[in-house]
Amino acid sequence: MTRATLIGFSAILMWSLLALMTAASGKMPPFQMSAVCFAIGALPGLLLFAVKPERMKLLRQPAPVWILGIVGLFGYHFLYFTALRNAPAADASMIAYLWPLFIVLGSAMLPGEKLKAAHILGALAGLAGAGLIVSARSTEGASAFSEGQLMIGYGAALACAFFWSGYSLISRKFGSAPTDVVTGFCLATSLLSLVCHLTLETTVWPDTATEWLAIAGLGLLPVGAAFYTWDYGVKKGNIQILGVASYSAPVLSTLVLIVAGFTEPSWRILIACLLVTGGALIAVSGSLLGKKQPA
């Protein structure tokens, strides 16, 4: 179980690079970005199928499994790429990373669980952190975007949080589905994104080698390998530990952006980071405290 938990934690580390790589990827529109990245993300699974073709039979899963996987991956990343195209990277990333908090709140309302005061307090703290970001539009970085762009970016980022938390909570019903099916999710998401791109967008390719590397990195890591390792970790590892560890994602993501020079360090970001992460930890304490431990 420890090995599987560590494998699952690697997904969190990869997701902390998502905002940086997206910000460095140039001006590729969201559907095109999704099509390219998920095509790259499917490569590890396709390689495994080429080596062990008998595993392709594992792709035969019930329709609800496919619908959840495709809608979850396609919807979240379209919204995320839209958010980072229309708002400062650190701001959009912090709002999108409300998803761990929403998972805690959602799981507290599942059968056998109760919504406690700690859950409500944690939710208020997290929302205060997101509100601090949205209300401080005059800060450096936000001035590069119009008022309309900021509203689209912040709205898409908040939708991201609801989308991924909903996907994660519903996926608990399909714990028996093998990780191999993630390859199918990636391919289907790539094809769906391509259709949407050709219908709705103008093709824009990267201008520099750095932008190409960022897109390749997105497809190989946070939009690729992370889904395989997260799927394996939550099914075979300690999901409670992984849930708590996921609250480090917004902190890591913001620190990476600051170190890479995409965002300036500020008290606003620090306080928002503490509110979102602290709110999530308060909320998870409501789920862990008072639970009976197995004998």
Side-chain angles (χ1 to χ4, degrees), residues 107-286:
S107 63
M109 292 182 280
L110 292 174
E113 299 287 348
K114 292 182 179 180
L115 188 63
K116 301 177 182 177
H119 297 134
I120 298 174
L121 181 60
L124 292 175
L127 290 175
L132 178 63
I133 289 172
V134 174
S135 64
R137 297 182 211 137
S138 62
T139 58
E140 183 177 357
S143 58
F145 301 89
S146 68
E147 184 78 11
Q149 275 187 297
L150 287 172
M151 289 300 96
I152 291 172
Y154 292 146
L158 184 60
C160 277
F162 282 110
F163 232 86
W164 192 252
S165 58
Y167 165 80
S168 300
L169 289 168
I170 297 172
S171 66
R172 289 169 61 90
K173 294 184 178 180
F174 306 112
S176 61
T179 298
D180 300 73
V181 79
V182 174
T183 302
F185 295 163
C186 289
L187 283 174
T189 299
S190 178
L191 290 174
L192 181 59
S193 299
L194 179 60
V195 171
C196 293
H197 165 63
L198 295 176
T199 305
L200 302 171
E201 296 176 336
T202 300
T203 301
V204 177
W205 293 109
D207 292 326
T208 66
T210 299
E211 291 177 358
W212 276 111
L213 286 173
I215 291 170
L218 278 169
L220 290 173
L221 296 173
V223 189
F227 293 114
Y228 298 92
T229 59
W230 182 254
D231 186 83
Y232 184 81
V234 297
K235 289 175 180 175
K236 305 293 184 182
N238 188 316
I239 195 169
Q240 269 194 340
I241 292 177
L242 285 174
V244 174
S246 67
Y247 303 140
S248 66
V251 180
L252 294 173
S253 179
T254 303
L255 290 177
V256 167
L257 287 168
I258 291 173
V259 170
F262 279 83
T263 243
E264 292 293 329
S266 71
W267 285 107
R268 177 180 65 93
I269 290 177
L270 174 60
I271 294 171
C273 200
L274 290 174
L275 283 170
V276 171
T277 307
L281 290 174
I282 291 170
V284 82
S285 72

